[in-house]
């Protein structure tokens, strides 16, 4: 009882730090992805980004389709039933538990984030289907051990796990730290596990460079990094890429039913297997 009270008190204290007058990364992303969990400051930032790089509008539908295809592959072809979703962000349609549990209700998902608004929304809105489980971990990529320890309340790390790093690694601007985070998480899961990534590209659209500069001026405490296809592939060193390897997310096992974007979507995707 005392532990529960302490946890609630910590949660309330973090929530009190939310400032709706200043743009905040998860809320800006939520706005760009068509969500409703944002404020006018976030919408202004999203408009500035869209002005700097008009092609940014194509990222949201392409990223949702990529996530859905990856999750379907992991559940139906790879037989994965456990998912560690790191940097889950504010809830959007097509969340990991919705897609995976619609395919296999027994799937277990641990959502990880260290943003108080994200965690508050997740606990309120992300509920498991009967027979499965959904848990929440207050941690970040800077402490992979805390991520794994917290997720152990929901996931069984003696069985294969899919580690999802969808957009998340862009927040880790140091390449060495990003590689360390991925390798630490890969070491924590058993053979037969997967790591799935999508990452903003540095080598596909010059306008995205302008958008990055705009973002890093508006949100200096939450900077982003772009990475090339080779740099994204290097993050999964030691793992076996699932064909077709690192490709634009629209080209990763495309579904004919998915709408094709008018222009290339500057985001790389990869799914890799731990042998």
């Amino acid at each position: 009882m005392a532990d529960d009270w302490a946890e609630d008190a910590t949660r309330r204290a973090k929530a009190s730090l939310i400032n709706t007058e200043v743009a905040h990364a998860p809320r800006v992303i939520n706005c760009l992805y068509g969500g409703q969990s944002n404020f006018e400051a976030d919408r202004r930032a999203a408009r500035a980004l869209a002005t700097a790089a008009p092609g940014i509008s194509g990222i949201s539908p392409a990223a949702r389709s990529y996530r859905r295809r990856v999750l379907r592959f992991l559940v139906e072809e790879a037989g994965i039933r456990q998912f560690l979703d790191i940097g889950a962000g504010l809830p959007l349609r097509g969340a990991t538990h919705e897609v995976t549990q619609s395919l296999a209700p027994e799937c277990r998902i641990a959502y990880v984030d260290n943003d108080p608004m994200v965690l508050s929304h997740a606990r309120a809105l992300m509920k498991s289907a009967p027979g499965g489980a959904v848990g929440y971990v207050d941690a970040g990529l800077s402490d992979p051990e805390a991520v794994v320890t917290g997720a152990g309340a929901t996931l069984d790390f003696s069985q294969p796990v899919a580690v999802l790093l969808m957009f998340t690694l862009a927040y880790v601007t140091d390449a060495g730290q990003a590689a360390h985070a991925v390798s630490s998480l890969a070491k924590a899961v058993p053979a037969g596990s997967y790591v799935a990534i999508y990452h903003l590209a540095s080598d596909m659209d010059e306008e995205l460079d302008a958008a990055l500069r705009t973002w890093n001026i508006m949100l200096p405490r939450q900077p982003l990094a772009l990475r090339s296809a080779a740099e994204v592939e290097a993050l999964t060193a030691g793992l076996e890429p699932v064909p077709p390897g690192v490709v634009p997310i629209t080209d990763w096992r495309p579904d004919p039913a998915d709408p094709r974007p008018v222009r290339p979507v500057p985001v790389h995707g990869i799914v890799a297997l731990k042998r």
Side-chain angles (χ1 to χ4, degrees):
M1 184 71 72
D3 288 344
D4 290 343
W5 181 90
E7 184 178 344
D8 287 343
T10 301
R11 204 176 299 158
R12 289 194 299 270
K14 284 188 174 184
S16 70
L17 300 176
I18 295 172
N19 185 349
T20 63
E21 301 299 318
V22 177
H24 186 55
R27 300 195 308 253
V28 175
I29 296 297
N30 179 265
C31 181
L32 288 170
Y33 279 41
Q36 303 299 317
S37 301
N38 49 74
F39 301 97
E40 181 54 33
D42 311 304
R43 293 188 280 274
R44 284 197 301 269
R47 289 193 291 271
L49 291 166
T51 299
I56 229 167
S57 61
I59 292 178
S60 170
R64 278 199 297 267
S65 296
Y66 171 74
R67 174 187 288 268
R68 184 178 64 251
R69 296 194 307 274
V70 167
L71 294 176
R72 183 175 291 277
F73 162 78
L74 290 169
V75 173
E76 294 187 338
E77 295 187 44
I80 298 295
R81 295 295 183 268
Q82 299 193 107
F83 297 83
L84 181 56
D85 190 339
I86 303 173
L90 290 160
L92 290 164
R93 178 171 48 85
T96 298
H97 71 290
E98 293 175 344
V99 176
T100 59
Q101 292 185 341
S102 72
L103 301 170
E106 69 272 21
C107 285
R108 305 177 72 84
I109 300 90
Y111 286 110
V112 181
D113 213 294
N114 56 6
D115 182 274
M117 185 173 177
V118 168
L119 289 169
S120 176
H121 277 65
R123 290 186 176 101
L125 300 175
M126 293 180 169
K127 305 299 183 184
S128 177
V134 173
Y136 314 95
V137 183
D138 185 352
L141 271 180
S142 60
D143 192 350
E145 184 176 337
V147 168
V148 173
T149 299
T154 306
L155 308 180
D156 176 1
F157 281 88
S158 70
Q159 299 297 316
V161 174
V163 179
L164 307 179
L165 294 162
M166 304 297 203
F167 190 92
T168 319
L169 289 166
Y171 288 112
V172 187
T173 56
D174 182 86
Q177 292 177 0
H180 172 72
V182 177
S183 64
S184 297
L185 292 164
K187 288 175 183 175
V189 296
S193 296
Y194 290 80
V195 174
I197 294 171
Y198 79 73
H199 200 300
L200 296 173
S202 64
D203 51 357
M204 290 182 65
D205 186 346
E206 291 182 0
E207 288 181 347
L208 201 58
D209 290 332
L212 177 76
R213 291 192 293 272
T214 300
W215 175 287
N216 289 346
I217 290 169
M218 294 187 301
L219 295 110
R221 294 185 179 182
Q222 298 164 305
L224 292 178
L226 308 181
R227 292 190 168 97
S228 67
E231 289 170 325
V232 172
E233 185 173 26
L235 293 174
T236 59
L239 303 177
E240 181 181 319
V242 173
V246 178
V247 291
I249 54 175
T250 51
D251 295 338
W252 197 90
R253 302 193 173 202
D255 185 333
D258 287 342
R260 296 298 294 177
V262 189
R263 54 189 293 174
V265 175
V267 183
H268 295 303
I270 183 173
V271 177
L273 167 67
K274 179 177 180 179
R275 285 290 184 188

